[in-house]
Amino acid sequence: MSSEYQNYIDGRFVAHRGDTIEVHNPATFELIARVPDAGADVVDEAVAAARRAQPAWEKLPAIQRAGYLRKISAKLRENVEMLATIIAREQGKVMPLARVEVNFTADYIDYTAEWARRLDGEVLTSDRVGEHIFLLRKPLGVAAGILPWNFPFFLIARKMAPALITGNTVVIKPSEETPLNAFAFTQLLAETDLPPGVFNLVCGSGASVGAALTAHKGVNLITFTGSVGTGIRIMQAAAPNLTRVNLELGGKAPAIVLNDADLDLAANALVASRVINTGQVCNCVERVYVQRGIAEALTEKLVQRMAATRFGDPLADETLDMGPLVNQAGLAKVEQLVDSARAAGAEVLTGGKRADLARGYHYLPTVVAGCTSDMAIMRDEIFGPVLPLQIVDDLDEAIARANDSDYGLTSSIFTRDINAAMKAVRELQFGETYINREHFEAMQGFHAGRKKSGIGGADGHHGLLEFTETHVVYLQTS
Ligand code: NAD
């Protein structure tokens, strides 16, 4: 079967004949597209094109590479409404958030372009008379970017922009759940004069394109965002070639709320960090440890706010707080975690079941109280609009329970006591801690998980370095 959506290789769209993947709107179940499920031969062509283009791309002054990036971001800014609508339709994001995603993506590309004049090496001190030691930073070569579906548009930029500014070329594989925004991105990129082969797009499943890319000898870096299970498979596929991996994986973010916290601020931030993108964000609040003295008051505020959360089809109503979950598997997982907590003695205070709508993978905004650390809902990534609460006696207990996890991506604490906040910072085993605010990272930060949340990180100066390797030069003069 043919598809109107075409892979982009060596600066050209390539007609696809072969298997296709169906893309559905998760709010309506409507079939919206069939896209290529490319094979290993197409991956070979894309990697070969990226390899051919890389040396000349690396030789360009970084400021010229930045110029190309800025042309791409300008195209995105001219097409925010079109791009946001595609994202909302295939992923289920509400339109205001979809617009934020497009604008943030353009900002991210511009921010990365600004690094052009700041990509420095180092001059090291020598032990020898007349010797100069230079540490150069060089591109790795070809980066393969493998994307998830939850912020699918932004993730293209998070992989592409740092790769390109540092002199690498890329092959991008979008998620098979949300490929249409990547085709739209590529159409706009193709309208610029970016040299052929610098950016390539290959669409397909994890088993086809993902597996071929990660086992490919011509790929120098696999930069992946997605689940822990896939991250492990990618490391295994990369091992025979010793290909570098950069893995942004799942999370089980704890939020700690102490007796002295501003409860309205905490409740607003916790709900915002759970409702955004229908709870399908790696850094979303996944479990709340609330100190006994304010447990009742905080719970009441959370229940009230979660119950008031409005949801439905994002394209039918722009004012909704959240859309559906992305697919049936996501809905079933949320349902199973809440049901098992309830069966183990937890109390569902609001929500706790699928929404009674005719169409769409909707789950009611839910608060589950009386959770204990042995429950799966406190240990496994929920990725849905569910806040599980566990009462703790003090900060030490909260920190111990927060750290007792396979994950280590983000965390937060709500308190007016600077000593308590800084003790948490010292002891929490997470890549990020938010104090008295919602969970959401900044592009100039460094988004990196500990433990099974990943290897390496993204964003800011440290994120750029992930796309480079060092070359040390010893120059002996007389
Ligand atoms: P996923 O692991 O199911 O899929 C991600 C991508 O991997 C898809 O493009 C998929 O086709 C591909 N893939 C699947 N099998 C593969 C294989 N064997 N080889 C190579 N590629 C393969 O993840 P998802 O469901 O799309 O995304 C949700 C997950 O992503 C959540 O766990 C979430 O926490 C995580 N996530 C993490 C971050 C972060 O920055 N840490 C950001 C967003 C999402």
Side-chain angles (χ1 to χ4, degrees):
M1 185 179 277
S2 72
S3 151
E4 62 182 293
Y5 294 94
Q6 301 187 338
N7 294 314
Y8 186 70
I9 296 172
D10 213 7
R12 281 173 293 122
F13 287 98
V14 184
H16 173 76
R17 308 242 168 269
D19 292 346
T20 57
I21 299 171
E22 292 189 345
V23 183
H24 293 91
N25 178 335
T28 62
F29 304 145
E30 167 204 6
L31 174 66
I32 47 180
R34 287 193 174 82
V35 297
D37 188 6
D41 52 333
V42 181
V43 170
D44 280 344
E45 286 171 29
V47 173
R51 291 213 76 76
R52 281 194 303 276
Q54 197 275 330
W57 181 249
E58 175 180 350
K59 279 191 194 110
L60 281 182
I63 196 68
Q64 288 186 30
R65 296 198 292 267
Y68 288 109
L69 287 179
R70 289 201 174 91
K71 288 181 197 171
I72 297 168
S73 65
K75 287 276 177 194
L76 306 189
R77 289 188 204 286
E78 287 161 15
N79 291 278
V80 174
E81 214 50 28
M82 178 270 284
L83 294 164
T85 306
I86 293 173
I87 296 169
R89 178 169 289 126
E90 67 178 333
Q91 194 252 298
K93 192 169 269 151
V94 290
M95 277 298 286
L97 182 60
R99 290 187 192 104
V100 167
E101 182 169 355
V102 177
N103 283 310
F104 190 84
T105 302
D107 289 350
Y108 192 93
I109 294 172
D110 286 344
Y111 163 76
T112 307
E114 285 167 14
W115 278 98
R117 291 196 175 96
R118 299 179 176 86
L119 296 167
D120 297 330
E122 294 170 34
V123 179
L124 307 176
T125 307
S126 170
D127 295 343
R128 295 162 61 142
V129 175
E131 186 189 53
H132 302 266
I133 308 178
F134 308 108
L135 185 146
L136 312 178
R137 290 203 181 273
K138 295 189 167 177
L140 296 164
V142 173
I146 301 180
L147 314 184
W149 47 261
N150 64 342
F151 282 91
F153 196 73
F154 167 58
L155 264 294
I156 304 171
R158 203 184 227 176
K159 307 301 187 195
M160 177 209 74
L164 263 47
I165 196 68
T166 48
N168 301 276
T169 53
V170 292
V171 180
I172 296 288
K173 183 198 110 50
S175 166
E176 55 272 51
E177 298 283 347
T178 53
L180 305 185
N181 69 86
F183 286 109
F185 179 99
T186 307
Q187 288 279 359
L188 294 171
L189 174 143
E191 291 171 14
T192 72
D193 56 354
L194 185 74
V198 170
F199 176 96
N200 305 275
L201 179 83
V202 184
C203 180
S205 68
S208 57
V209 175
L213 267 178
T214 50
H216 207 291
K217 276 187 184 154
V219 169
N220 304 96
L221 171 73
I222 301 158
T223 171
F224 168 74
T225 301
S227 61
V228 173
T230 306
I232 291 169
R233 279 192 288 283
I234 285 176
M235 275 190 91
Q236 288 166 339
N241 296 319
L242 288 173
T243 309
R244 266 184 208 221
V245 293
N246 168 277
L247 304 176
E248 305 284 325
L249 308 179
K252 185 68 188 170
I256 298 170
V257 189
L258 298 183
N259 284 342
D260 70 342
D262 177 334
L263 293 194
D264 283 314
L265 181 150
N268 289 339
L270 293 176
V271 171
S273 305
R274 189 71 274 196
V275 164
I276 184 172
N277 209 26
T278 322
Q280 303 167 115
V281 192
C282 60
N283 66 11
C284 257
V285 171
E286 281 267 336
R287 49 192 170 126
V288 182
Y289 296 104
V290 49
Q291 198 169 3
R292 195 172 296 279
I294 44 103
E296 209 181 309
L298 181 73
T299 304
E300 200 176 301
K301 289 179 189 294
L302 292 174
V303 169
Q304 190 205 342
R305 285 162 174 76
M306 286 298 273
T309 297
R310 295 175 58 248
F311 60 88
D313 177 355
L315 292 176
D317 182 351
E318 286 237 348
T319 67
L320 296 172
D321 300 309
M322 65 180 203
L325 292 160
V326 74
N327 56 24
Q328 175 59 35
L331 179 60
K333 186 180 179 199
V334 173
E335 189 171 45
Q336 190 264 322
L337 284 170
V338 174
D339 289 350
S340 74
R342 191 192 274 120
E347 192 185 354
V348 174
L349 300 180
T350 186
K353 57 180 179 153
R354 292 177 187 219
D356 192 15
L357 294 184
R359 295 177 303 173
Y361 303 112
H362 297 282
Y363 196 84
L364 292 177
T366 297
V367 177
V368 188
C371 296
T372 52
S373 296
D374 54 341
M375 293 178 183
I377 202 167
M378 296 300 280
R379 309 201 76 81
D380 298 347
E381 196 178 41
I382 306 168
F383 238 50
V386 176
L387 273 177
L389 314 180
Q390 178 167 356
I391 293 178
V392 292
D393 284 316
D394 54 29
L395 178 58
D396 282 322
E397 182 187 351
I399 292 173
R401 294 200 183 282
N403 285 340
D404 179 21
S405 172
D406 285 344
Y407 294 100
L409 191 56
T410 75
S411 56
S412 65
I413 180 163
F414 295 85
T415 176
R416 290 187 171 98
D417 179 355
I418 186 75
N419 295 309
M422 292 313 293
K423 176 182 165 71
V425 167
R426 287 194 298 276
E427 297 182 15
L428 283 171
Q429 297 159 1
F430 292 81
E432 275 157 41
T433 300
Y434 301 93
I435 303 170
N436 293 327
R437 56 152 285 185
E438 80 285 8
H439 292 218
F440 217 87
E441 70 266 22
M443 61 182 78
Q444 63 272 41
F446 186 54
H447 185 56
R450 295 207 212 164
K451 302 180 187 170
K452 286 190 177 168
S453 288
I455 295 178
D459 311 334
H461 184 218
H462 296 279
L464 285 180
L465 298 183
E466 303 266 318
F467 290 82
T468 66
E469 58 193 351
T470 56
H471 184 169
V472 181
V473 179
Y474 299 87
L475 169 65
Q476 183 67 61
T477 60
S478 51

